[in-house]
Amino acid sequence: MAGRQRPRRLDRNIAYFDEPPERRPPITEVGPVAWVRANLFGSALDMALTLLGALFLIGMISFLLTWSIGTANWYSITFNLRLFLVGRVEPFMDPRITFLFLFIAVLAGVNFAAWSRIHLRLWAILAAVLLALFIIPWLIAGAIPLPLTWLAAGQREVTSGSITASPVERVAFIAGADEEIVFRLVTPADDAELARLNSFSDGMSNTLRNAAANRLASEQRLVTVERELAGDSLTGRQRAAREAELENTAVPPPVHTSYEVGAYPVSLILRSGDTDAEIFNGTIAPGAEMRLTLPRDGWYVLEKRVPDNDDSIALLSASGLYPVFDRSFIREGERVFQYMRATDRLLVEGGRPRDAGGADLPMLGIIDHQYRGERPLADFLSLMLGPFLDQLNLGLALFTAVMAAAYFASRWLERRDSDQEVPLRRLRRAAVWLWLVTIPLAFLLIIGVSSGPFLTLSDPQLWGGLLLTLVLTVVALVVAFPIGILLALGRRSTLPVVSAASTLYIEVFRGVPLITLLFMSMLLVQFVLPSLSGPDNAPYRVMVALILFSAAYLAEDVRGGLQSLPTGQVEAARALGLPGWRITLHITLPQALRAVIPALVGQFISLFKDTSLVTIVGLIDLTGVANLIASQTEFQGLRRETYIFIAIIYFIFSSVMSNVSRRIEASGSGAARA
Amino acid sequence: MASADSQPMSQGTTISQMDEEPIIICRDMNKWFGEFHVLRDINVSVAPQEVVVIIGPSGSGKSTLIRCINRLEEHQEGQILVDGMELGHDVRNIAAIRREIGMVFQQFNLFPHLTAIQNITLAPIRVRHRPRAEVEDDAMQLLERVGIPEQAHKYPGQLSGGQQQRVAIARALAMEPKIMLFDEPTSALDPEMIKEVLDVMKELALSGMTMLVVTHEMGFAREVADRVLFMDEGRIVEQGEPEHFFERAQHPRTKLFLSQIL
């Protein structure tokens, strides 16, 4: 490398430098190891924080993973996905909502093309992910068999602690045509095997399992206590306590022998659920297996007995026999009962089998036949992940495909005549216009226009789930935003009446909690706008409250932006002879709004989340759906799963919004400010 | 102009260098900021095509004086007439007078969310309601006149200070004003950029524009001005043609000021 240039001396007082040679910057790029060392282990404190953070992160993730794979029951999500997304809207809304969904995909595609670039590599990754969403469920279904269902037979009760389970001889279930059911009579070798029976199980086999597990636990405890007593690490008092414990604990005899589990053959009778006609009648010997093929879709009744011994409990594993969700609703004036198999959504309507007295037979309902015990990964995949992805993949794939089509089409059109002075100007105009079209279109599709067959009016009372959340957010935003701007301008007006009125409005609505406003609007709006009375207009009344509330906050955000402008801007505009309203329209507002984009988006996000408060006045938005599901007996104890799911949905939407705002801030003239 | 009798200007005398009807007349103008008397009995007339340079120490009211002329500040006593129209509370008069007057600010005050050419075309389109295509052609000519046609589609934040000030001059000229006010147009510029702005202003003066210039550029005043006003404590202390003013100033305050800056 050439050395630094020495100044060339002309005489004693002046020197000058030759043109220096081109030099490349020194190489400062470093590998990941150096990065980690510099950024994560720079100092002792840094190191401690890094380790602490890593420990915390690993702990959290492993806890969440083990919980969601091993313990959590995600049925409440897969079974209710439609409720989460659109609530109880009428079936005729489905094509309209689908169309709107795809239109938004077009909007997204055009906007991406206009404002940012999506790298081809990213498209490839997206495509791969979507493909995986189709392949993974298919692979899971092909490779991993569904878990078994455990059924007990016998004439005696089974006790574990204070729980006693009575025998159920006849149980009803639903199945499809040509399905094969495989029964096996299990003879467990010891209690440990019995305690490991994870899966769907009826009350009796579950109690049997618990009894075995409890017995093993107390056996283990006694061993521990004896070991402690043999050592000399205990204080006198502890020793006394241990001795008392030893005295009081009695280990029951082994469960599998005391109930003679699986020692005697079981007689099975399979009947048609409708006609009670016998389809099959046979006996399974211990350890033997029996295969039955079913003739048609519908209800079946299984009779199981241990004919040879009244004290023995038989444990049957069954594949092809799974618990169901049941629900009922009014359709055209009549109550309809639906039963849906938990594992594959096989649906049977009505016709539930009854006994001779006319009472409903016990059935394999999800309430009594939940999955019990620690769930292995295979069961998580086949029961939870596969079906969930199967429900999502088509919608996501359609959305992405339409978005990609719109993206590449608009880029192609843009490139075809690229002789514009300002690149992308036309495409950007088109993108803005598309936004202006989308919002009225959305309202048209969701609300409807006529009572006839074309765009039939939908019942607002039935809007729910994510749909209602988004409708409330978008309406509140679109209407509140201009009002907020007017209020902000009004508050800065030189006319005392206007500024006092605006200030009063803003202060009043910022001073009242949203919940109070929601209650007030439910009761008061109808006095001002009688057309909004009645329960079916509740969403509209709530919108009024949300609009009034967010207008006040948006006004303060916009006012902040207006105040941050240097006075020179207005002076320059006035010196050019622009009238006041044009100064506002062309000079102050555009700059003020751009300056407060982060605050505005923050307001949008908090409005989006605040819509969850409408649950309190009886609307069933996303949070409302979660509450509704958590209160159903079928999904008892599944609150955590339900709320985690809606938290994820809220998070996804909020992070998309803040991401978009970061892009807006970084793009275009906003970045090129003086 | 009584340049020969070498007396400091007495207050209350209206002066005009040329025989034509003056385009700007200030009569006994006074202004206060709260209790502070910022302009005292200002009497100035400016003839068409005259270039008047206003100098003086900071806080002497130079900027306030020219800001009163296009009503960015309101005077409280006396009279201001621009092109025969009185500047009062009549909003139509204010609008009409502002259309006659272009102004260039120390801090440029370009609109940062608009490109250079949009900055220039905004007012002609929105105030004069001229067709956009025509205005854009004129704007490009103006940008050529100030020497930066290639920067037309850049945002102010992407331009140097000198370029921004030249866009600001073009923006003011786009309204085809009869009078241009310059409020310390070079004070916020790096020394290397001052010349490019002064050159544009010189060219403008030669083309016959009526100009009121608040500046500390004595070279510019000497070379271009028809008349130099010296202000101190809200008063016009002394005025005269530049060669007279810089060589033979009479008032002790003027002499002190000139001795400190020259």
Side-chain angles (χ1 to χ4, degrees):
Chain A
M1 196 181 84
R4 292 229 165 70
Q5 288 284 301
R6 285 176 170 282
R8 191 180 295 183
R9 243 167 219 295
L10 294 185
D11 58 42
R12 280 192 311 135
N13 300 319
I14 292 181
Y16 77 94
F17 291 89
D18 276 338
E19 185 87 356
E22 283 283 315
R23 288 175 60 214
R24 303 193 60 77
I27 296 164
T28 50
E29 283 170 52
V30 288
V33 176
W35 185 91
V36 165
R37 192 178 300 153
N39 291 289
L40 299 181
F41 297 97
S43 66
L45 178 68
D46 202 357
M47 203 180 296
L49 287 176
T50 303
L51 290 178
L52 219 66
L55 269 179
F56 178 75
L57 212 66
I58 291 168
M60 279 300 284
I61 289 174
S62 66
F63 169 76
L64 273 176
L65 270 184
T66 27
W67 177 76
S68 55
I69 290 174
T71 316
N73 267 325
W74 300 99
Y75 298 122
S76 53
I77 315 301
T78 46
F79 183 69
N80 293 302
L81 199 58
R82 186 189 159 86
L83 205 57
F84 275 117
L85 293 182
V86 293
R88 293 169 297 154
V89 291
E90 301 93 334
F92 66 72
M93 292 289 285
D94 290 5
R96 277 150 65 174
I97 292 173
T98 311
F99 179 78
L100 184 60
F101 179 69
L102 296 181
F103 194 87
I104 290 170
V106 172
L107 180 74
V110 173
N111 274 283
F112 272 124
W115 306 103
S116 69
R117 285 275 170 270
I118 301 183
H119 216 269
L120 266 181
R121 204 183 307 146
L122 193 61
W123 281 116
I125 292 172
L126 260 178
V129 167
L130 284 170
L131 206 63
L133 289 189
F134 285 93
I135 292 176
I136 290 172
W138 179 76
L139 277 181
I140 289 175
I144 304 175
L146 283 168
L148 305 167
T149 299
W150 296 101
L151 298 172
Q155 272 70 256
R156 67 181 279 196
E157 292 181 330
V158 177
T159 319
S160 165
S162 60
I163 307 281
T164 303
S166 311
V168 176
E169 192 181 294
R170 282 149 62 90
V171 62
F173 65 93
I174 63 172
D178 300 325
E179 282 184 1
E180 193 185 51
I181 301 183
V182 182
F183 290 107
R184 221 162 58 80
L185 182 53
V186 180
T187 316
D190 53 17
D191 277 7
E193 192 181 332
L194 208 52
R196 274 200 306 271
L197 298 181
N198 303 327
S199 188
F200 302 108
S201 52
D202 63 4
M204 227 175 16
S205 26
N206 187 45
T207 315
L208 210 57
R209 186 180 70 100
N210 289 345
N214 288 345
R215 194 190 149 269
L216 289 176
S218 27
E219 213 174 54
Q220 186 64 42
R221 175 68 191 157
L222 284 190
V223 171
T224 314
V225 169
E226 271 166 6
R227 190 173 350 105
E228 281 177 356
L229 284 174
D232 50 3
S233 60
L234 295 175
T235 63
R237 182 180 293 202
Q238 282 173 331
R239 186 170 288 275
R242 296 290 187 281
E243 274 160 0
E245 193 181 342
L246 203 58
E247 201 128 308
N248 295 333
T249 313
V251 177
V255 175
H256 74 285
T257 50
S258 62
Y259 289 102
E260 298 174 80
V261 177
Y264 297 89
V266 174
S267 108
L268 286 182
I269 303 174
L270 187 68
R271 293 174 190 279
S272 154
D274 310 329
T275 60
D276 215 33
E278 221 176 80
I279 297 171
F280 172 85
N281 188 342
T283 308
I284 313 183
E289 201 179 83
M290 178 183 289
R291 287 168 186 273
L292 303 177
T293 307
L294 301 176
R296 51 170 185 79
D297 287 2
W299 280 102
Y300 294 89
V301 176
L302 181 71
E303 282 182 37
K304 47 192 167 40
R305 233 169 304 157
V306 185
D308 302 340
N309 190 316
D310 282 355
D311 288 334
S312 164
I313 296 293
L315 202 55
L316 287 164
S317 79
S319 71
L321 200 83
Y322 297 105
V324 293
F325 299 103
D326 60 324
R327 61 182 167 201
S328 74
F329 50 92
I330 307 287
R331 186 199 290 155
E332 287 159 10
E334 276 187 55
R335 183 158 287 276
V336 179
F337 291 88
Q338 277 191 342
Y339 301 88
M340 187 189 278
R341 195 152 66 180
T343 49
D344 61 356
R345 317 178 72 74
L346 171 85
L347 190 81
V348 171
E349 217 169 87
R352 185 172 163 190
R354 292 155 200 276
D355 62 15
D360 285 340
L361 271 181
M363 62 166 184
L364 288 179
I366 193 78
I367 302 173
D368 302 320
H369 297 75
Q370 280 179 25
Y371 194 105
R372 329 232 185 202
E374 281 288 303
R375 191 188 299 110
L377 181 63
D379 285 5
F380 169 77
L381 295 178
S382 62
L383 285 176
M384 308 291 175
L385 189 67
F388 183 64
L389 295 185
D390 229 1
Q391 276 179 291
L392 286 185
N393 52 14
L394 193 62
L396 289 179
L398 264 179
F399 189 91
T400 315
V402 172
M403 187 175 84
Y407 175 84
F408 287 110
S410 38
R411 282 200 63 188
W412 178 74
L413 283 174
E414 181 70 15
R415 220 176 309 152
R416 207 182 43 173
D417 37 11
S418 55
D419 54 336
Q420 299 173 60
E421 276 174 357
V422 183
L424 291 173
R425 176 188 270 182
R426 233 186 16 197
L427 187 55
R428 288 184 174 176
R429 284 217 180 117
V432 171
W433 274 108
L434 206 57
W435 271 104
L436 296 182
V437 171
T438 307
I439 288 165
L441 181 81
F443 293 145
L444 206 68
L445 287 172
I446 290 171
I447 298 169
V449 285
S450 67
S451 49
F454 175 70
L455 284 183
T456 315
L457 280 169
S458 72
D459 183 357
Q461 236 186 321
L462 299 181
W463 299 344
L466 186 59
L467 177 74
L468 180 63
T469 297
L470 291 177
V471 164
L472 290 176
T473 311
V474 172
V475 169
L477 269 186
V478 168
V479 184
F481 194 48
I483 299 179
I485 289 176
L486 289 180
L487 283 170
L489 295 173
R491 190 162 185 177
R492 285 168 58 86
S493 166
T494 46
L495 306 174
V497 175
V498 175
S499 105
S502 307
T503 308
L504 183 71
Y505 175 95
I506 292 170
E507 293 305 327
V508 165
F509 279 89
R510 271 160 44 99
V512 178
L514 180 55
I515 297 185
T516 317
L517 270 181
L518 287 171
F519 278 118
M520 276 164 63
S521 73
M522 289 302 274
L523 302 170
L524 297 181
V525 166
Q526 39 207 321
F527 294 122
V528 187
L529 299 164
S531 58
L532 292 188
S533 61
D536 44 333
N537 283 319
Y540 293 121
R541 295 204 293 276
V542 161
M543 279 175 203
V544 171
L546 289 172
I547 289 167
L548 296 178
F549 180 77
S550 23
Y553 277 89
L554 289 173
E556 284 300 272
D557 288 344
V558 174
R559 189 171 69 106
L562 290 171
Q563 273 171 345
S564 73
L565 283 191
T567 51
Q569 289 291 309
V570 175
E571 282 181 358
R574 279 164 61 194
L576 284 170
L578 285 167
W581 65 275
R582 281 210 183 273
I583 297 179
T584 303
L585 191 66
H586 297 293
I587 307 299
T588 44
L589 258 191
Q591 294 187 52
L593 292 183
R594 195 166 277 142
V596 295
I597 285 172
L600 289 178
V601 174
Q603 188 57 45
F604 292 174
I605 291 175
S606 69
L607 173 65
F608 172 69
K609 292 180 297 178
D610 283 350
T611 54
S612 58
L613 291 173
V614 304
T615 310
I616 291 170
V617 292
L619 263 59
I620 303 176
D621 72 326
L622 197 53
T623 309
V625 169
N627 287 342
L628 195 75
I629 289 168
S631 66
Q632 285 176 2
T633 40
E634 281 176 312
F635 306 109
Q636 249 173 14
L638 304 186
R639 279 169 184 277
R640 274 166 294 196
E641 291 85 341
T642 316
Y643 287 111
I644 284 178
F645 179 68
I646 66 162
I648 291 172
I649 294 189
Y650 279 117
F651 172 75
I652 289 174
F653 275 81
S654 305
S655 63
V656 166
M657 274 194 260
S658 59
N659 201 340
V660 167
S661 98
R662 245 173 287 143
R663 277 168 185 274
I664 295 175
E665 283 166 57
S667 80
S669 49
R673 291 171 67 97
Chain B
M1 169 72 197
S3 59
D5 75 12
S6 63
Q7 283 293 312
M9 280 302 310
S10 59
Q11 298 294 336
T13 313
T14 304
I15 33 157
S16 171
Q17 216 173 17
M18 311 199 181
D19 306 329
E20 281 176 87
E21 188 69 18
I23 194 166
I24 302 173
I25 302 169
C26 298
R27 273 195 209 113
D28 301 326
M29 191 176 87
N30 276 281
K31 176 167 180 62
W32 290 261
F33 283 136
E35 291 291 306
F36 178 58
H37 200 169
V38 61
L39 291 178
R40 303 169 192 236
D41 299 323
I42 300 292
N43 283 288
V44 182
S45 297
V46 179
Q49 307 203 335
E50 193 182 6
V51 176
V52 177
V53 169
I54 306 171
I55 60 173
S58 52
S60 59
K62 318 180 290 285
S63 291
T64 311
L65 171 58
I66 66 167
R67 285 161 64 88
C68 279
I69 290 171
N70 71 348
R71 198 60 167 191
L72 288 182
E73 304 286 355
E74 218 171 294
H75 62 282
Q76 285 146 315
E77 270 181 29
Q79 222 181 4
I80 300 176
L81 291 159
V82 178
D83 206 15
M85 288 177 286
E86 167 144 26
L87 199 53
H89 288 288
D90 190 333
V91 178
R92 276 166 307 172
N93 259 0
I94 296 175
I97 286 171
R98 280 188 184 151
R99 282 199 290 272
E100 305 282 303
I101 303 177
M103 181 152 185
V104 176
F105 299 86
Q106 179 178 1
Q107 296 297 338
F108 329 137
N109 292 353
L110 289 180
F111 306 130
H113 61 301
L114 301 178
T115 58
I117 192 153
Q118 285 170 336
N119 263 281
I120 299 170
T121 56
L122 178 74
I125 293 172
R126 301 298 178 186
V127 179
R128 294 233 192 262
H129 303 290
R130 292 172 53 200
R132 177 182 293 271
E134 188 188 309
V135 173
E136 279 179 357
D137 283 349
D138 289 358
M140 281 312 295
Q141 282 180 10
L142 282 171
L143 280 173
E144 267 163 45
R145 190 169 163 194
V146 298
I148 41 172
E150 70 285 355
Q151 313 288 355
H153 295 289
K154 287 197 180 158
Y155 286 94
Q158 298 165 303
L159 302 177
S160 73
Q163 289 171 332
Q164 288 190 53
Q165 193 60 296
R166 287 188 278 165
V167 172
I169 294 172
R171 175 175 73 176
L173 291 176
M175 287 293 282
E176 296 168 350
K178 293 183 180 162
I179 303 161
M180 285 285 281
L181 307 176
F182 291 85
D183 187 1
E184 304 201 23
T186 55
S187 300
L189 295 176
D190 290 346
E192 279 187 280
M193 294 170 181
I194 290 175
K195 184 174 177 300
E196 62 190 47
V197 171
L198 290 181
D199 285 347
V200 170
M201 289 169 63
K202 272 179 214 163
E203 187 270 333
L204 198 60
L206 288 177
S207 74
M209 177 65 73
T210 311
M211 290 164 62
L212 256 73
V213 184
V214 174
T215 188
H216 297 297
E217 294 298 323
M218 294 305 144
F220 175 82
R222 212 186 273 266
E223 188 179 343
V224 180
D226 295 314
R227 186 151 51 112
V228 180
L229 296 186
F230 176 70
M231 287 186 71
D232 188 37
E233 294 180 344
R235 282 193 191 81
I236 296 175
V237 175
E238 184 163 7
Q239 60 174 320
E241 287 167 16
E243 50 280 15
H244 159 86
F245 181 86
F246 287 111
E247 307 304 333
R248 284 168 283 146
Q250 298 299 314
H251 196 283
R253 184 66 189 90
T254 320
K255 283 182 188 162
L256 179 66
F257 179 76
L258 289 176
S259 74
Q260 276 165 350
I261 61 167
L262 287 178

